[in-house]
Amino acid sequence: MDITMIIVAGIVGVALGFFIARIMEKKNASKILANAKREAASIVKEATTEGESIKKDKIFQAKEKFLELKAEHEKVIVAKDKKIAEVEKRTRDKEAQVTGELSRNKKLNEELEVKLKDYEYRMEILDKKQTEVEKLHKSQVKQLEIISGLPAEEAKSQLIESLRADAKSDAMSYVQNTLEEAKLTAQQEAKKVIINTIQRIGTEEAIENCVSVFNLESDDIKGRIIGREGRNIRALESATGVEIIVDDTPEAIILSCFDSVRREIARLSLHKLVTDGRIHPARIEEVVQKTTKQIEEEIIEVGKRTVIDLGIHGLHPELIKMVGRMKYRSSYGQNLLQHSREVAKLCGVMAAELGLNPKLAKRAGLLHDIGKVPESETEMPHAILGMEWAEKYGEKPDVCNAIGAHHDEVEMKSLIAPIVQVCDAISGARPGARRQVLDSYIQRLKDLEDIAFAFHGVKKAYAIQAGRELRVIVESEKVSDDKAAELSFEISQKIQTDMTYPGQVKVTVIRETRSVNIAK
């Protein structure tokens, strides 16, 4: 019973609590709903107030924007109105300008019409006067023909010839005066440079022949050199390529060959054979081979010494060898190595005088004749061959051009080229430097005189100073002073075009007038 009562009481309590809770919940809900309504009314009120404020702001902003756009629009309209006004003003100005131009053109047209009428009138008068002048000219020509007794064409030709002669004489006089005036300073400076260059160089004169004389201690050695049935001398000639002449000359044998290298090999080989005493074909071949090798080494050594003496650096070994071979070559009797050394020194001094590179000039001067030492025969000019070798072994373009142009085989492209040409002429033209055949020398002098005699009025002609000056004596009755100057120029041009000669030839024309009377 107690438990039941307790359970019933619990259930009643729970139900009562639940009922009370429901009542309390409804009461709270009604309060919350009232509060929410109040808050919602407040929020609606605030929202309405804020919306009115925003609406007012937006309306105010829209009014301001409208006013701004209206102001900008008014500015644009004002600007357009201003531009339209400017365009209208320019148009009015153009119209005024065009109107002025039209009035001026109208005035010019009127003046032009007046001038055209005047021109036509003048042309008519001019035509009439031209006709009258032609009639007068014809009548005067007829009168002159009657007076002179010559047709008009013949008189005209005589007048033209006279004017031509006068013009030619005046031109020759002007040319002569101009040339003399140009030479006054240029020739002095050129002479100064050349003389300074020559005075600062001192070289020995070297003349070699194609024949060498080998001296013997006694004539008994000649038989040993010849050998049994000439075997030794034939072996020696075959090995060296030199002709050995054994004649009645006491204690001497002659070695003949155009190649100085081979001649030197034969001379040294003979010296070794005679000193050793063993002379037979096998020994001859052995000695010649050793001597040939020795000469080749000597050629290289000579080339090196020459290059060092001249202060030239970086030369290709083949070019050094060619420089050494120059020792055994000659040009017109002048030793080629001595000539090249002399030209190199002259080029260096002259280049220094002219403010150019003396080392480059020395290099070109030393190598200018390397084309004369080929090991095999060739028909190519030595200047071109030397230029090709220099290009092959890496020489500079200025040096190559100077080598190829020193005999005018190619065009000169640098200032070193004429220096090499001038120094080559100086070295070859000095007295005793070269040996020339007497017949060709005499023929050259005779050719100079013959060229002078070919001109009209020449009485006598003399080639003097070894053919470097030609003096021409003319007849004073046939050649005037002006004609003498013209004749000198024409003879020099004729010599320049028809003859080949070293250096230059001075042509002097002498005209002398003598008046002779005898007092009795």
Side-chain angles (χ1 to χ4, degrees):
M1 285 297 288
D2 291 333
I3 294 170
T4 304
M5 287 300 288
I6 292 170
I7 291 170
V8 171
I11 292 169
V12 171
V14 170
L16 183 62
F18 178 76
F19 180 75
I20 293 170
R22 290 283 294 177
I23 291 171
M24 291 297 292
E25 184 178 354
K26 285 181 180 181
K27 189 176 181 179
N28 289 333
S30 61
K31 287 181 180 180
I32 290 170
L33 182 60
N35 291 331
K37 285 181 180 181
R38 285 194 300 272
E39 289 178 1
S42 176
I43 290 170
V44 170
K45 187 177 180 180
E46 290 177 0
T48 302
T49 304
E50 188 176 354
E52 290 293 332
S53 176
I54 291 171
K55 182 179 178 180
K56 290 179 181 178
D57 291 339
K58 291 296 181 181
I59 290 170
F60 181 73
Q61 291 177 2
K63 287 181 179 180
E64 287 183 349
K65 187 68 175 178
F66 174 74
L67 292 174
E68 289 178 1
L69 291 174
K70 184 179 179 182
E72 290 179 0
H73 182 66
E74 288 177 352
K75 289 181 180 178
V76 171
I77 291 173
V78 171
K80 286 183 178 181
D81 291 341
K82 187 177 179 180
K83 287 182 179 179
I84 291 170
E86 291 177 355
V87 170
E88 289 177 350
K89 184 180 179 182
R90 287 199 298 269
T91 304
R92 287 194 298 272
D93 294 340
K94 289 287 183 182
E95 289 177 353
Q97 185 177 358
V98 168
T99 304
E101 291 290 337
L102 288 173
S103 62
R104 282 194 296 271
N105 288 338
K106 185 177 180 181
K107 186 177 179 181
L108 288 174
N109 286 332
E110 292 174 354
E111 293 177 355
L112 182 61
E113 288 177 358
V114 173
K115 289 182 178 179
L116 284 174
K117 291 179 180 179
D118 183 60
Y119 174 74
E120 290 175 356
Y121 175 72
R122 289 175 180 270
M123 285 296 295
E124 290 178 0
I125 296 174
L126 185 62
D127 291 338
K128 292 179 181 179
K129 289 185 177 181
Q130 182 70 25
T131 305
E132 294 176 359
V133 169
E134 288 179 357
K135 290 179 180 179
L136 289 173
H137 176 70
K138 289 180 180 179
S139 63
Q140 288 177 356
V141 169
K142 288 180 180 179
Q143 290 177 4
L144 289 172
E145 288 179 354
I146 294 170
I147 294 170
S148 63
L150 293 174
E153 293 298 328
E154 186 176 350
K156 187 188 293 184
S157 63
Q158 289 183 3
L159 179 61
I160 290 172
E161 288 296 328
S162 176
L163 292 174
R164 183 182 297 168
D166 293 341
K168 187 175 182 181
S169 176
D170 293 341
M172 289 304 303
S173 176
Y174 176 75
V175 169
Q176 190 70 22
N177 293 335
T178 305
L179 288 174
E180 292 297 331
E181 184 178 354
K183 288 178 181 178
L184 282 177
T185 55
Q187 194 171 11
Q188 290 178 358
E189 292 298 323
K191 285 181 178 179
K192 181 180 177 182
V193 171
I194 293 173
I195 290 171
N196 288 339
T197 303
I198 294 174
Q199 287 177 345
R200 290 168 61 182
I201 298 294
T203 57
E204 298 178 357
E205 298 177 5
I207 297 178
E208 295 184 354
N209 300 320
C210 291
V211 174
S212 295
V213 178
F214 182 75
N215 296 313
L216 302 173
E217 294 180 358
S218 65
D219 289 338
D220 297 337
I221 303 176
K222 289 183 179 180
R224 296 173 58 191
I225 292 174
I226 295 172
R228 184 179 298 176
E229 299 178 355
R231 288 185 303 173
N232 292 344
I233 195 170
R234 283 198 301 272
L236 190 57
E237 288 179 345
S238 176
T240 59
V242 175
E243 183 182 0
I244 300 175
I245 302 172
V246 181
D247 54 12
D248 296 336
T249 305
E251 298 180 355
I253 292 176
I254 297 174
L255 308 177
S256 177
C257 180
F258 73 94
D259 191 337
S260 301
V261 177
R262 283 188 272 171
R263 202 165 66 244
E264 182 67 12
I265 291 172
R267 189 186 68 81
L268 292 177
S269 299
L270 262 177
H271 179 72
K272 290 180 181 179
L273 289 169
V274 170
T275 303
D276 184 57
R278 293 176 295 167
I279 305 176
H280 53 83
R283 177 63 179 167
I284 288 171
E285 291 181 2
E286 180 185 353
V287 170
V288 168
Q289 288 178 358
K290 290 182 179 180
T291 306
T292 302
K293 187 176 180 181
Q294 177 185 345
I295 289 294
E296 289 178 354
E297 293 175 355
E298 183 180 349
I299 285 172
I300 296 174
E301 186 62 28
V302 168
K304 289 181 179 178
R305 282 203 308 270
T306 302
V307 171
I308 292 171
D309 290 344
L310 294 174
I312 297 173
H313 305 285
L315 204 62
H316 194 278
E318 287 296 326
L319 294 179
I320 293 176
K321 188 176 179 181
M322 292 176 189
V323 171
R325 290 181 67 85
M326 289 182 184
K327 178 182 178 182
Y328 302 101
R329 290 287 189 276
S330 62
S331 176
Y332 297 97
Q334 186 180 22
N335 182 268
L336 194 57
L337 180 59
Q338 294 298 328
H339 167 65
S340 298
R341 288 173 63 98
E342 183 177 354
V343 171
K345 292 178 181 179
L346 288 167
C347 288
V349 175
M350 190 172 290
E353 289 286 337
L354 296 174
L356 301 176
N357 188 346
K359 292 186 178 180
L360 202 63
K362 277 186 182 181
R363 199 181 193 97
L366 178 64
L367 300 177
H368 80 283
D369 269 347
I370 58 173
K372 289 185 177 180
V373 291
E375 296 182 356
S376 59
E377 294 296 328
T378 177
E379 296 181 357
M380 187 180 298
H382 75 275
I384 302 297
L385 183 60
M387 181 180 69
E388 291 182 356
W389 281 350
E391 291 174 349
K392 178 181 178 181
Y393 296 119
E395 288 299 316
K396 293 183 178 179
D398 289 350
V399 175
C400 298
N401 178 253
I403 295 171
H406 78 278
H407 285 314
D408 295 323
E409 299 286 350
V410 297
E411 182 183 358
M412 295 183 182
K413 296 181 180 179
S414 66
L415 291 176
I416 296 177
I419 290 176
V420 172
Q421 187 180 52
V422 169
C423 294
D424 181 42
I426 292 173
S427 175
R430 61 184 174 80
R434 293 183 174 181
R435 182 182 69 255
Q436 294 181 336
V437 180
L438 181 61
D439 294 340
S440 63
Y441 169 73
I442 295 174
Q443 184 63 39
R444 182 160 63 86
L445 300 183
K446 187 175 181 301
D447 291 341
L448 282 173
E449 295 178 354
D450 290 342
I451 287 177
F453 281 119
F455 288 87
H456 177 71
V458 175
K459 184 178 180 181
K460 295 178 182 179
Y462 302 102
I464 61 176
Q465 292 188 4
R468 302 198 179 277
E469 182 177 355
L470 179 64
R471 291 191 179 178
V472 182
I473 301 174
V474 298
E475 299 179 13
S476 59
E477 297 83 4
K478 297 181 180 180
V479 180
S480 63
D481 289 339
D482 294 337
K483 183 65 177 176
E486 180 182 345
L487 183 63
S488 173
F489 178 77
E490 291 177 353
I491 292 174
S492 65
Q493 293 300 308
K494 183 73 171 175
I495 293 172
Q496 186 172 339
T497 55
D498 293 358
M499 292 189 63
T500 302
Y501 50 90
Q504 60 185 13
V505 178
K506 180 181 179 182
V507 179
T508 304
V509 175
I510 301 172
R511 179 180 180 271
E512 182 181 15
T513 302
R514 295 186 182 184
S515 299
V516 180
N517 288 300
I518 299 174
K520 295 182 181 179

XYZ file of all heavy atoms in Angstrom, residues 296 299-300 303-304 315-326 373 375:
151
model
N 122.466 25.177 -97.698
C 121.087 25.439 -97.298
C 121.011 25.975 -95.876
O 120.237 26.905 -95.585
C 120.277 24.155 -97.429
C 120.015 23.729 -98.877
C 119.255 22.435 -98.969
O 119.031 21.819 -97.889
O 118.893 22.016 -100.083
N 122.179 29.504 -95.985
C 121.148 30.384 -96.546
C 120.166 30.801 -95.447
O 119.815 31.978 -95.312
C 120.413 29.678 -97.703
C 121.304 29.649 -98.949
C 119.089 30.355 -98.013
C 120.742 28.810 -100.078
N 119.735 29.827 -94.643
C 118.811 30.136 -93.544
C 119.473 31.064 -92.530
O 118.861 32.018 -92.042
C 118.327 28.833 -92.884
C 117.517 27.993 -93.886
C 117.493 29.135 -91.648
C 117.125 26.631 -93.382
N 119.663 34.566 -93.927
C 118.343 35.189 -93.857
C 118.015 35.659 -92.447
O 117.503 36.772 -92.258
N 118.322 34.833 -91.442
C 118.049 35.225 -90.059
C 118.867 36.439 -89.651
O 118.364 37.366 -89.005
C 118.344 34.051 -89.121
C 117.338 32.910 -89.230
C 117.687 31.794 -88.255
C 116.666 30.661 -88.332
N 117.018 29.553 -87.417
N 108.773 37.184 -89.329
C 108.817 36.793 -90.739
C 108.703 35.275 -90.843
O 109.299 34.531 -90.058
C 110.116 37.276 -91.377
C 110.109 37.461 -92.895
C 109.103 38.523 -93.298
C 111.495 37.846 -93.397
N 107.921 34.809 -91.811
C 107.720 33.376 -92.009
C 109.054 32.692 -92.359
O 109.886 33.265 -93.077
C 106.698 33.151 -93.124
C 106.164 31.756 -93.183
N 106.841 30.719 -93.808
C 105.025 31.209 -92.683
C 106.135 29.614 -93.710
N 105.030 29.880 -93.024
N 109.298 31.464 -91.852
C 110.570 30.771 -92.147
C 110.851 30.631 -93.643
O 112.015 30.725 -94.063
C 110.380 29.404 -91.475
C 109.401 29.659 -90.373
C 108.485 30.721 -90.866
N 109.841 30.416 -94.453
C 110.068 30.295 -95.905
C 110.548 31.621 -96.485
O 111.403 31.642 -97.375
C 108.786 29.832 -96.602
C 108.447 28.374 -96.373
C 109.501 27.435 -96.955
O 110.085 27.780 -97.996
O 109.753 26.385 -96.339
N 109.976 32.727 -95.993
C 110.435 34.030 -96.469
C 111.859 34.314 -96.002
O 112.645 34.918 -96.742
C 109.485 35.127 -95.979
C 108.056 35.098 -96.549
C 107.228 36.219 -95.945
C 108.077 35.211 -98.062
N 112.198 33.878 -94.796
C 113.583 34.028 -94.314
C 114.536 33.250 -95.219
O 115.630 33.724 -95.563
C 113.689 33.553 -92.856
C 112.900 34.494 -91.939
C 115.141 33.472 -92.412
C 112.853 34.067 -90.491
N 114.119 32.067 -95.629
C 114.945 31.263 -96.528
C 115.127 31.959 -97.877
O 116.214 31.953 -98.458
C 114.296 29.889 -96.715
C 115.139 28.896 -97.480
C 114.454 27.548 -97.521
C 115.293 26.538 -98.311
N 114.631 25.213 -98.382
N 114.061 32.563 -98.378
C 114.167 33.293 -99.649
C 115.106 34.488 -99.522
O 115.862 34.794 -100.451
C 112.784 33.756 -100.095
C 111.860 32.626 -100.500
S 110.210 33.244 -100.899
C 109.305 31.696 -101.070
N 115.045 35.177 -98.385
C 115.963 36.299 -98.161
C 117.403 35.811 -98.165
O 118.292 36.453 -98.751
C 115.623 37.003 -96.828
C 116.695 38.024 -96.465
C 114.271 37.688 -96.922
N 117.672 34.649 -97.553
C 119.024 34.097 -97.571
C 119.485 33.717 -98.973
O 120.666 33.885 -99.324
N 118.556 33.214 -99.806
C 118.928 32.831 -101.176
C 119.297 34.047 -102.026
O 119.976 33.906 -103.049
C 117.777 32.071 -101.845
C 117.545 30.686 -101.276
C 116.406 30.006 -102.005
N 116.752 29.713 -103.381
C 117.409 28.643 -103.799
N 117.793 27.733 -102.911
N 117.685 28.462 -105.071
N 118.855 35.226 -101.587
C 119.222 36.435 -102.335
C 120.738 36.657 -102.363
O 121.248 37.318 -103.272
C 118.542 37.658 -101.711
C 117.053 37.735 -101.926
S 116.393 39.266 -101.195
C 114.646 39.047 -101.480
N 113.981 34.867 -106.802
C 114.736 33.703 -106.325
C 113.884 32.431 -106.351
O 113.885 31.674 -105.373
C 115.283 33.953 -104.904
C 116.352 35.000 -104.921
C 114.162 34.365 -103.948
N 112.974 28.562 -107.157
C 113.794 27.379 -107.357
C 113.546 26.735 -108.712
O 114.310 25.885 -109.151
C 113.530 26.373 -106.234
C 113.936 26.903 -104.860
C 113.711 25.881 -103.769
O 113.168 24.806 -104.091
O 114.074 26.150 -102.616
